[in-house]
Amino acid sequence: MSQVDWPLGQPLERVDGPLKVQGQARYAAEFEVPGLLYGAVVSSAIARGRVRLIDSVAAEALPGVRLVLSHLNRPPLAGYDEAYEDADAAEGSPFRPLYNDRVLYSGQPLALVVAETQVLARHAASLVRIEYEVEPHQTDLQAVREQAHPAPAEVPSPRGDFAAAFAAAAHRLEVEYGTPVEHHNPMEPHASIVQYLPGGELLVHDKTQGVQNCQRYLERVFGLQGRVRVLSPFVGGAFGSGLRPQYQLPLAVMAALALKAAVRVELTRQQMFSFGYRPRSIQQLKLAADGEGRLQAIEHLAIGQTSRFEGFTEHEVEWSGMLYACDNLRLGYRLAPLDVHTPLDMRAPGAAIGVYALECAMDELAHAVGIDPLELRLRNYSEINGNQGKRYSSKALRACYQQGAERFGWLRRPQQPRSLRDGHELIGMGMATGVWEAIQMPASARACLDSEGRLLVTSATADIGTGTYTAMTQIAAAAMGLPMAVVEFRLGDSSLPQAPLEGGSATVSSVGSAVQQACAALQQKLLDAAQQSPASPFTGASLREVAFAGGRMRLRGTGHAVDLAEIVKGSGALAAEAHVEPGAQRKQWATATHSAVFVEVRVDEDLGTIKVSRVVSAIAAGRIVNPKTAGNQIVGGVVWGIGQALQEETLIDHRLGRYMNHNLAEYHIPVNADIPEIEVIFVEEHDEVVNDLGSKGVGEIGIVGVAAAVANAIYNATGKRVRDLPITLDKLL
């Protein structure tokens, strides 16, 4: 069967690729709108205090400046003086730009200058003078770690008797790990264009991972129920930064309403550091094992930072209770409020840092016990999620270990650190396990077949560069037996059928299942239409008795077939919609994706420089709809994991409470020269529980475990443990 006949599971090219390489894909700030005005944000220079004076006289005197907006003259808003929620909100009161004179963090937007050109707006913004009443601030998590309070998050209950089991164990390990603040830094900065339409309706172009989330937010805050449409057909990367509406969106709406005009607000790269981020963490682990390396006790305690106005939490310690078999467990998670913006979910939130600490500790335990790190993990393998007491619906992690180790050549790894070298380079090998939850969210989709035989499928989801356009087209084409060329998938429009935020590796499972069900409903309508004629050979046939292939509906076991376009011609078009929610069968099972990551590093013995020379990542994620786009996701995650391990951190001057490397010159991320060939293995895994597609998602799992594998390889090369990320040469020397 050819790729055209059955596109599901094929490594097909991106259907949106030609638009992107030809420059025809339009991103949020790129739409041409008549009479467009431009907004520039004025940011706070202090970390805490009050605004005493905003002097905008010089800015307003410039020809072409139309408005200087601040808390003093913003329009009254329906939902600003009460708590409001969005789909990714943390507990507390979300940040409200231009709410009052309070300064809550450095870089906070305090004013918006709107002018006839972008250059003029930015120049005028530089002329706005702000006087402050400065108050003492605190931005250092280490300084207040003892004042942290229990997080408002569900942490699994203790099991067994940790203290007794830890005290009695043959091998005990107590370690602490630190991870820094990281910022998302997608290639496309956050931007919004708000068009004010006749009748007071708004058409919004926004960089977002959820157009309907932004729509609900604007309708509630501005009292515009039924008068807002949000579009976001293309997103230049997000990684979680687009899960919540960022502040440029309400600022653009305020200006558009005040001026009754179209306004664009685009954040600078420096301002991309003035909202959510991956929070700094301090993690303490205690592991205990018997003489054979079997875990007797695990304690994983974490302290994370949050803002003073919201209690941001993520799943940071839970992984230690679900990844391995252990009867005695104690988990804890505390938060320290600081004078910073609220953190935000970033690729594999919680797992990227929580699993890093766990997997480094497992490597340290393996060396303490004196067994191979992979063997330690196999001895503690579990088919049960200990937090839930449920078996996994599928778990091909053993196969990940076996296939990854074989491809990598793990057996050649020296047990003794610092024992393998090539000239002046020390060579080390490390590995780690990865895990991420397999999520499905409620979602809807609509499928419409016209008289030309073309299929249009729609859902208000997003494509943040993950390949959603392509995967949904493949799912629909396979379901209807149509070639990819006659199938179109539309997304990124709040008027389309309901979809969840694109995040958590849940889009294929959620929206893909809805697409498949919408196509199944359309198949039934086609069969019903074909049965209208008394002489039809399909009369009395059920959907199970027909097949859809090659653009035709065929009666199984006979030669009777009809073109789908012929069925539709009489009515002009046939359409069906479906809403899908997670199946009840999921409640009986634990569901997750798993991975095994193997890394080789070369460390210059004299200079301390680190080079990752080989990576093999073996992934078990159920059915892979498109191995090419899925493989791209894993490669991207591995690159990020290497950056997390060796380069990436947002540096803050705590005296000023201000980020100092808020640009892409000094915020270090990997470039091509830093990255070796990355081999991705998709391990075969069948799962009939997670959803009808059997797909678990691959967006997050690619990064999980990578930083730990790099850190473990560095120890194997040098014999030195560095427990604070990133592992830079100064720490190694």
Side-chain angles (χ1 to χ4, degrees):
M1 187 174 286
S2 71
Q3 292 183 357
V4 173
D5 292 331
W6 187 254
L8 213 57
Q10 299 295 335
L12 302 184
E13 303 286 341
R14 292 173 183 258
V15 298
D16 53 326
L19 288 176
K20 290 182 174 178
V21 298
Q22 294 170 25
Q24 296 178 23
R26 290 286 178 266
Y27 295 84
E30 297 183 325
F31 288 89
E32 297 179 4
V33 177
L36 185 63
L37 301 175
Y38 301 84
V41 177
V42 181
S43 305
S44 166
I46 67 169
R48 184 176 182 181
R50 291 185 178 276
V51 174
R52 293 177 55 191
L53 172 72
I54 296 181
D55 181 356
S56 58
V57 173
E60 292 170 325
L62 293 176
V65 171
R66 301 284 293 275
L67 176 68
V68 178
L69 199 64
S70 71
H71 71 280
L72 299 171
N73 63 338
R74 66 163 172 82
L77 303 172
Y80 240 32
D81 295 318
E82 59 185 53
Y84 59 85
E85 295 181 1
D86 61 67
D88 201 55
E91 285 198 11
S93 178
F95 173 67
R96 293 168 279 189
L98 310 190
Y99 179 56
N100 56 23
D101 64 350
R102 291 292 308 172
V103 177
L104 304 174
Y105 67 96
S106 180
Q108 175 180 324
L110 299 180
L112 180 73
V113 178
V114 183
E116 293 173 2
T117 69
Q118 183 72 68
V119 172
L120 177 58
R122 289 191 178 179
H123 172 59
S126 72
L127 301 179
V128 175
R129 187 172 62 87
I130 301 179
E131 293 183 5
Y132 303 95
E133 181 182 309
V134 180
E135 298 175 7
H137 67 267
Q138 179 57 266
T139 56
D140 187 356
L141 177 63
Q142 278 284 5
V144 296
R145 59 184 292 173
E146 299 304 323
Q147 285 82 56
H149 60 76
E154 291 184 13
V155 175
S157 300
R159 58 179 185 258
D161 187 338
F162 166 80
F166 186 81
H171 299 279
R172 294 188 295 273
L173 178 76
E174 297 186 45
V175 283
E176 180 173 296
Y177 300 94
T179 63
V181 168
E182 298 174 21
H183 275 82
H184 301 74
N185 277 311
M187 187 172 291
E188 179 198 11
H190 278 267
S192 303
I193 293 177
V194 179
Q195 292 177 251
Y196 186 89
L197 304 177
E201 296 180 344
L202 300 183
L203 179 62
V204 179
H205 301 276
D206 187 56
K207 177 197 172 83
T208 177
Q209 291 172 248
V211 285
Q212 290 173 330
N213 188 39
C214 288
Q215 180 191 44
R216 289 189 294 268
Y217 166 84
L218 294 178
E219 286 182 341
R220 179 168 180 184
V221 169
F222 290 90
L224 295 170
Q225 280 72 17
R227 294 161 58 194
V228 178
R229 182 182 178 191
V230 181
L231 304 177
S232 185
F234 295 99
V235 180
F239 315 116
S241 68
L243 290 173
R244 301 184 73 172
Q246 299 304 347
Y247 64 75
Q248 89 287 338
L249 177 60
L251 292 182
V253 171
M254 287 181 198
L257 292 174
L259 296 169
K260 293 184 169 51
V263 177
R264 186 184 91 175
V265 179
E266 181 179 12
L267 300 186
T268 65
R269 181 56 60 181
Q270 288 75 21
Q271 288 166 344
M272 291 289 288
F273 287 76
S274 59
F275 51 86
Y277 52 88
R278 196 191 301 281
R280 184 179 178 186
S281 79
I282 300 166
Q283 300 180 67
Q284 299 166 312
L285 278 103
K286 293 181 180 179
L287 302 184
D290 64 15
E292 302 298 316
R294 292 180 178 83
L295 286 166
Q296 302 300 298
I298 298 175
E299 181 181 68
H300 190 168
L301 307 177
I303 304 171
Q305 71 178 58
T306 189
S307 67
R308 294 200 189 277
F309 46 92
E310 284 184 290
F312 174 83
T313 60
E314 53 188 7
H315 298 288
E316 198 167 312
V317 298
E318 286 89 327
W319 318 101
S320 293
M322 63 187 280
L323 200 46
Y324 301 110
C326 185
D327 293 331
N328 302 287
L329 177 82
R330 188 161 65 194
L331 305 175
Y333 181 25
R334 294 184 294 148
L335 289 180
L338 299 172
D339 296 303
V340 294
H341 195 284
T342 308
L344 181 61
D345 288 340
M346 183 186 284
R347 196 170 197 167
I353 54 180
V355 173
Y356 152 72
L358 170 65
E359 287 301 287
C360 285
M362 286 291 286
D363 194 74
E364 297 201 41
L365 181 64
H367 285 276
V369 176
I371 63 175
D372 181 86
L374 177 54
E375 177 59 28
L376 178 72
R377 288 160 173 83
L378 288 169
R379 290 185 188 182
N380 292 285
Y381 195 90
S382 176
E383 294 290 348
I384 294 173
N385 179 327
N387 294 336
Q388 301 174 350
K390 298 178 182 178
R391 290 185 64 84
Y392 285 101
S393 58
S394 60
K395 185 179 179 182
L397 179 56
R398 283 187 188 276
C400 291
Y401 288 144
Q402 184 266 321
Q403 294 180 33
E406 184 176 312
R407 195 75 60 89
F408 181 79
W410 181 255
L411 291 179
R412 299 194 298 273
R413 172 187 176 274
Q415 281 286 97
Q416 185 63 33
R418 208 180 177 86
S419 60
L420 185 61
R421 65 174 60 237
D422 179 10
H424 59 88
E425 290 182 323
L426 300 169
I427 301 174
M429 303 180 194
M431 61 85 56
T433 308
V435 61
W436 181 254
E437 50 194 332
I439 307 169
Q440 184 182 2
M441 305 289 286
S444 300
R446 187 173 189 267
C448 180
L449 188 72
D450 67 19
S451 58
E452 299 297 319
R454 300 190 64 84
L455 180 67
L456 174 63
V457 183
T458 58
S459 181
T461 186
D463 190 333
I464 58 176
T466 52
T468 304
Y469 275 112
T470 309
M472 298 305 152
T473 304
Q474 287 179 258
I475 293 167
M480 295 302 299
L482 291 169
M484 293 273 289
V486 300
V487 179
E488 179 186 358
F489 183 71
R490 290 183 191 166
L491 52 72
D493 184 338
S494 61
S495 67
L496 298 179
Q498 177 263 327
L501 292 167
E502 172 148 308
S505 299
T507 299
V508 169
S509 303
S510 308
V511 181
S513 296
V515 167
Q516 189 176 59
Q517 288 301 311
C519 289
L522 180 58
Q523 288 178 345
Q524 185 63 59
K525 288 198 173 186
L526 287 163
L527 179 57
D528 292 343
Q531 292 173 340
Q532 295 304 308
S533 170
S536 170
F538 295 95
T539 301
S542 68
L543 204 54
R544 284 194 296 262
E545 296 172 280
V546 298
F548 291 80
R552 312 190 84 198
M553 183 173 69
R554 178 175 55 81
L555 192 61
R556 297 182 190 273
T558 73
H560 297 301
V562 61
D563 289 344
L564 301 185
E566 284 295 322
I567 303 174
V568 177
K569 273 183 180 174
S571 59
L574 280 178
E577 190 165 327
H579 179 76
V580 176
E581 302 205 3
Q585 74 276 10
R586 284 177 60 106
K587 296 179 181 179
Q588 306 168 36
W589 301 87
T591 56
T593 57
H594 292 89
S595 67
V597 188
F598 298 84
V599 170
E600 178 188 87
V601 300
R602 289 172 172 261
V603 182
D604 189 296
E605 190 171 18
D606 299 318
L607 302 178
T609 54
I610 305 162
K611 173 74 175 177
V612 175
S613 48
R614 285 194 300 132
V615 179
V616 173
S617 180
I619 308 290
R623 183 185 216 167
I624 305 300
V625 172
N626 185 324
K628 186 169 189 176
T629 56
N632 288 344
Q633 285 293 293
I634 301 303
V635 168
V638 171
V639 170
W640 196 337
I642 293 172
Q644 179 188 11
L646 302 179
Q647 296 177 322
E648 193 168 347
E649 63 176 327
T650 309
L651 298 168
I652 190 167
D653 185 330
H654 295 300
R655 296 168 303 171
L656 302 173
R658 183 184 308 163
Y659 297 125
M660 305 308 292
N661 60 333
H662 57 320
N663 55 70
L664 291 187
E666 297 169 296
Y667 184 90
H668 293 162
I669 55 176
V671 297
N672 282 358
D674 299 315
I675 302 300
E677 182 177 345
I678 298 168
E679 186 170 0
V680 178
I681 302 168
F682 285 117
V683 172
E684 188 172 348
E685 184 178 58
H686 300 282
D687 196 319
E688 297 179 356
V689 172
V690 288
N691 50 67
D692 290 342
L693 282 169
S695 175
K696 295 181 176 181
V698 296
E700 320 285 347
I701 189 65
I703 189 177
V704 184
V706 177
V710 173
N712 295 338
I714 290 170
Y715 172 75
N716 184 245
T718 66
K720 182 169 183 178
R721 293 279 182 192
V722 180
R723 300 188 179 97
D724 286 298
L725 294 183
I727 303 174
T728 48
L729 61 87
D730 57 313
K731 296 175 184 175
L732 204 55
L733 290 173

